[in-house]
Amino acid sequence: QVQLQQWGAGLLKPSETLSLTCAVYGGSFNDYYWNWIRQPPGKGLEWIGEINHSGNTNYNPSLKSRVTISVDTSKNQFSLRLSSLTAADTGVYYCARGRGYDCWGQGTLVTVSS
Amino acid sequence: QLVVTQSPSASASLGASVKLTCTLSSGHSTYAIAWHQQQPEKGPRYLMRLNSDGSHSKGDGIPDRFSGSSSGAERYLIISSLQSEDEGDYHCQSWGTDIQVFGGGTKLTVL
């Protein structure tokens, strides 16, 4: 059974860069796109971007200029970097598998505050 | 442009059935979607992928009370024999070749 476990810094200052990593345990890493999704407090879900094992990426156009998603196939991990943070980037960040998100990470609360 | 639309809220009585709707934008009526449940203060949980022909594949452990159907650009989540733990937000999401989109979510209240 596949499990996604994510980690990263939870308290950041404006203008800093968010960095999160998601590790995939079980299942076939090469068969899927791997996604980052976020949820501001009290709001809906927003797709950030995706990557596959070959490093092919797609990003949400609204975030594209600030987002980098990378992959480490030797560890079955993928990572998110989001730069130039503002308070509007505060929320819970999730990793998820595939284009239907059939498996989710546990979520990481990221707070951007001075 | 792919857009996914959901009603903001729905309610139904304990033990009754409810049908939640997800509408795909014009030109995208053949797209598949996925439904996700989010109970209060918890992360999302995958319920099912739903295709345009109504076929669907549910996640592990999802009860038979949850089913899906399709009609044109509309995708439905049907929950029967409503239980208190079904209360929460239900998110619909779809995807194209290089884009993925969420609806705004439907908040389900079990009366």
Side-chain angles (χ1 to χ4, degrees):
Chain A
Q1 183 173 351
V2 62
Q3 290 188 353
L4 276 61
Q5 186 172 350
Q6 58 182 102
W7 64 88
L11 181 59
L12 296 161
K13 290 180 168 54
S15 81
E16 291 186 336
T17 296
L18 174 160
S19 182
L20 299 175
T21 297
C22 182
V24 180
Y25 300 100
S28 174
F29 188 80
N30 290 355
D31 287 349
Y32 296 91
Y33 270 88
W34 300 93
N35 296 271
W36 289 100
I37 295 144
R38 69 180 183 178
Q39 186 172 35
K43 295 188 177 180
L45 297 164
E46 179 181 34
W47 176 68
I48 299 170
E50 64 179 1
I51 193 166
N52 69 3
H53 70 284
S54 298
N56 298 314
T57 55
N58 293 299
Y59 298 131
N60 187 324
S62 68
L63 298 169
K64 188 173 184 176
S65 63
R66 299 193 291 130
V67 174
T68 302
I69 298 177
S70 58
V71 66
D72 184 342
T73 55
S74 68
K75 297 180 180 178
N76 283 5
Q77 294 177 1
F78 61 106
S79 299
L80 169 69
R81 288 176 61 83
L82 181 64
S83 63
S84 305
L85 293 174
T86 70
D89 295 311
T90 292
V92 179
Y93 286 70
Y94 298 96
C95 57
R97 184 179 78 166
R99 288 190 166 151
Y101 313 147
D102 63 357
C103 188
W104 293 74
Q106 78 276 20
T108 300
L109 176 61
V110 173
T111 302
V112 181
S113 174
S114 55
Chain B
Q1 181 185 359
L2 177 60
V3 176
V4 176
T5 304
Q6 298 180 252
S7 297
S9 64
S11 62
S13 299
L14 197 66
S17 295
V18 69
K19 188 177 188 178
L20 306 183
T21 303
C22 172
T23 304
L24 294 161
S25 50
S26 176
H28 301 96
S29 62
T30 61
Y31 282 39
I33 65 116
W35 284 105
H36 307 274
Q37 177 195 57
Q38 189 172 25
Q39 296 170 320
E41 306 306 317
K42 290 190 174 182
R45 173 194 185 194
Y46 171 76
L47 293 177
M48 69 180 70
R49 170 184 169 137
L50 177 59
N51 297 316
S52 59
D53 62 359
S55 60
H56 54 277
S57 57
K58 293 199 290 188
D60 293 340
I62 303 303
D64 291 342
R65 304 186 295 106
F66 291 83
S67 63
S69 66
S70 297
S71 176
E74 298 198 323
R75 308 284 181 266
Y76 305 108
L77 175 67
I78 301 106
I79 312 173
S80 59
S81 302
L82 271 169
Q83 301 181 5
S84 57
E85 59 262 35
D86 297 332
E87 190 161 281
D89 295 323
Y90 288 81
H91 303 280
C92 172
Q93 90 20 249
S94 189
W95 57 92
T97 304
D98 56 2
I99 190 74
Q100 297 177 42
V101 178
F102 282 96
T106 296
K107 185 175 187 64
L108 175 64
T109 300
V110 179
L111 304 171

